[in-house]
């Protein structure tokens, strides 16, 4: 998936390609994405049980990978999983630590437990100088607090849905902001305004496939091939040429993940 031909190739910075929704047609999904101009994908893990499946996406398709313990799966995480994560990071050398962060949307997830897990993983990332892939639903300010306490070498704020001020705070800390399916909905006015007005140098594209389905296909799992249409939406919102948006977001993704 590391192609160099022109026109510029897209980088899907958040794709759960290992998800069960793709079990029946994963090869076809990757082929369709490549045909749509997707040159790279980052596949983030969500729990210790899917680290191996995540790495299988690198072995089979050449994907970039991140390993981490997602806050939404808090009930499944065990103390030993943090130690195992450290071992996997050292042994497998992923591109980032992720998907990690905080989720204050789901009331059953204990905030203090989430925060302890998040800080521990930030420290693992800092020790290895790895970027992080952040989940920050309803928790932007608290995530920012911990990023300031535990400095990491940047990364990506996935599915960004905060304020302009919060966006600028993440950018100041060296983060890129992920935009995808949510900006395809005309009702997502704040997200669309941010996508249109933030510096292009701060933006990356993502599908979060099979999740965050686009406005044109709300009843089927999101697919990595949709990234090209997401790029078109972003270009339209910004009034900028599509090729420039693709080239910039791909360069931004590579910078966020410290890729040479």
């Amino acid at each position: 998936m590391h192609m160099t031909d022109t026109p510029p190739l897209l980088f899907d910075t958040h794709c759960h390609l290992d998800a069960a929704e793709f079990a029946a047609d994963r090869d076809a999904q990757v082929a369709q994405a490549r045909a749509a101009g997707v040159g790279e994908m980052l596949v983030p893990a969500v729990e210790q049980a899917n680290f191996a499946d995540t790495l299988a996406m690198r072995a089979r398709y050449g994907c970039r990978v991140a390993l981490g313990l997602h806050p939404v799966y808090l009930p499944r995480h065990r103390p030993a999983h943090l130690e195992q994560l450290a071992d996997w990071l050292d042994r497998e050398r992923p591109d980032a630590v992720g998907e990690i962060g905080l989720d204050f949307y789901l009331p059953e997830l204990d905030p203090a437990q989430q925060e302890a897990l998040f800080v521990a993983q930030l420290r693992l990332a800092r020790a290895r100088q790895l970027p992080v892939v952040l989940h920050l639903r309803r928790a932007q300010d608290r995530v920012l607090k911990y990023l300031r306490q535990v400095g990491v070498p940047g990364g990506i704020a996935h599915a960004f849905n905060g304020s302009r001020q919060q966006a600028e705070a993440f950018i100041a800390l060296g983060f890129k902001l992920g935009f995808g399916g949510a900006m395809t909905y005309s009702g997502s006015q704040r997200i669309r305004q941010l996508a249109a007005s933030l510096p292009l140098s701060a933006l990356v594209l993502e599908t979060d496939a099979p999740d965050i389905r686009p406005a044109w296909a709300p009843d089927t799992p999101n697919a990595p091939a949709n990234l090209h249409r997401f790029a078109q939406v972003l270009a339209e919102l910004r009034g900028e040429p599509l090729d420039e948006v693709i080239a910039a977001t791909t360069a931004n993704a590579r910078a966020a993940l410290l890729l040479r």
Side-chain angles (χ1 to χ4, degrees):
M1 296 186 76
H2 311 301
M3 300 174 285
T4 56
D5 42 336
T6 54
L9 288 160
L10 291 149
F11 197 134
D12 187 347
T13 60
H14 206 103
C15 179
H16 295 285
L17 188 62
D18 63 307
E21 286 89 338
F22 299 131
D25 65 344
R26 197 170 281 113
D27 287 355
Q29 291 281 353
V30 172
Q32 290 163 16
R34 287 174 171 157
V38 180
E40 298 227 49
M41 297 180 197
L42 177 72
V43 181
V46 296
E47 60 175 322
Q48 190 271 344
N50 88 314
F51 289 176
D53 289 341
T54 302
L55 289 161
M57 300 302 99
R58 180 169 72 180
R60 182 168 180 85
Y61 304 113
C63 297
R64 303 288 179 176
V65 295
L67 298 178
L69 304 172
H70 192 302
V72 168
Y73 297 91
L74 193 65
R76 302 187 196 175
H77 304 324
R78 299 290 176 264
H81 292 173
L82 266 175
E83 298 170 28
Q84 290 164 12
L85 172 59
D87 291 341
W88 283 75
L89 293 175
D90 293 334
R91 184 175 70 247
E92 302 295 345
R93 302 201 174 273
D95 298 283
V97 176
E99 180 177 353
I100 67 172
L102 300 172
D103 192 304
F104 292 167
Y105 174 73
L106 297 171
E108 66 271 22
L109 300 174
D110 180 77
Q113 284 185 302
Q114 288 190 60
E115 289 170 32
L117 179 67
F118 180 42
V119 169
Q121 293 183 94
L122 287 177
R123 288 175 176 152
L124 292 179
R126 180 178 65 184
R128 292 156 182 80
Q129 283 301 290
L130 285 170
V132 295
V133 178
L134 296 172
H135 177 98
L136 31 75
R137 189 161 55 164
R138 302 271 175 94
Q140 283 92 353
D141 286 340
R142 197 67 61 89
V143 168
L144 284 164
K145 169 189 169 181
Y146 290 116
L147 291 175
R148 292 185 180 110
Q149 288 181 7
V150 186
V152 295
I156 295 169
H158 154 59
F160 188 79
N161 185 21
S163 66
R164 176 89 190 198
Q165 184 178 20
Q166 289 164 334
E168 290 171 352
F170 278 102
I171 294 166
L173 289 171
F175 281 79
K176 308 299 185 186
L177 311 180
F179 288 85
M183 73 176 169
T184 67
Y185 291 85
S186 59
S188 298
Q189 293 182 6
R190 182 167 70 175
I191 291 174
R192 287 163 71 91
Q193 178 62 29
L194 288 170
S197 62
L198 286 169
L200 182 58
S201 60
L203 308 185
V204 295
L205 288 165
E206 59 174 47
T207 61
D208 198 25
D211 301 320
I212 312 187
R213 299 170 179 186
W216 59 80
D219 300 320
T220 55
N222 191 6
N226 283 327
L227 197 70
H228 190 268
R229 284 187 70 176
F230 293 173
Q232 291 175 317
V233 170
L234 183 59
E236 290 163 10
L237 288 170
R238 300 183 65 83
E240 293 170 356
L242 177 61
D243 275 6
E244 288 183 19
V245 166
I246 293 174
T249 54
T250 292
N252 297 343
R254 295 187 64 81
L257 296 170
L258 309 180
L259 302 177
R260 298 293 176 257

